[in-house]
Amino acid sequence: MNNKIYYLYVIKCDQYIKVGVTTDMCSRLNSIYQVNPFELNVLRQIPYNNKVYVFFAERLIHEQLRSINKNVRGEWFIYDEESISLIDQLSIDFSNEYIAKKYIQYQ
């Protein structure tokens, strides 16, 4: 049985945010710090106990942010009220049960 916790995170860096997944926030922050001259702030860290669900949630958030033209490159998006509001709304909905239902519909 896998008891690993996965985190869907939002990290602010200057005027941008990075939305991604990790099992180790400290390690993830350190790797971003090594290639980045700006201060980083963790804005959101949402735990999941299911790897499939967390990566599906990340994918849905990326798709929604792209649909409102917030994508800069890859997992980096424009930091503004609209982006954070969208992430907050989706993260409220992103209980494992919700993701399971959406995942089944998406397949």
Side-chain angles (χ1 to χ4, degrees), residues 53 56 95-106:
Y53 294 172
F56 187 67
S95 66
N96 284 339
E97 183 180 332
Y98 175 83
I99 288 297
K101 289 177 184 173
K102 291 299 268 186
Y103 183 75
I104 289 166
Q105 290 173 355
Y106 211 75

Side-chain angles (χ1 to χ4, degrees), residues 54-90:
V54 72
F55 281 104
F56 187 67
E58 175 195 38
R59 181 172 154 193
L60 289 177
I61 289 173
H62 286 176
E63 287 175 1
Q64 289 298 310
L65 287 170
R66 285 186 183 105
S67 77
I68 58 171
N69 298 314
K70 299 296 181 179
N71 189 241
V72 177
R73 181 176 34 176
E75 295 183 341
W76 289 93
F77 301 89
I78 295 168
Y79 171 70
D80 63 14
E81 213 171 288
E82 185 179 24
S83 295
I84 295 301
S85 178
L86 181 135
I87 292 167
D88 285 344
Q89 183 57 53
L90 291 175

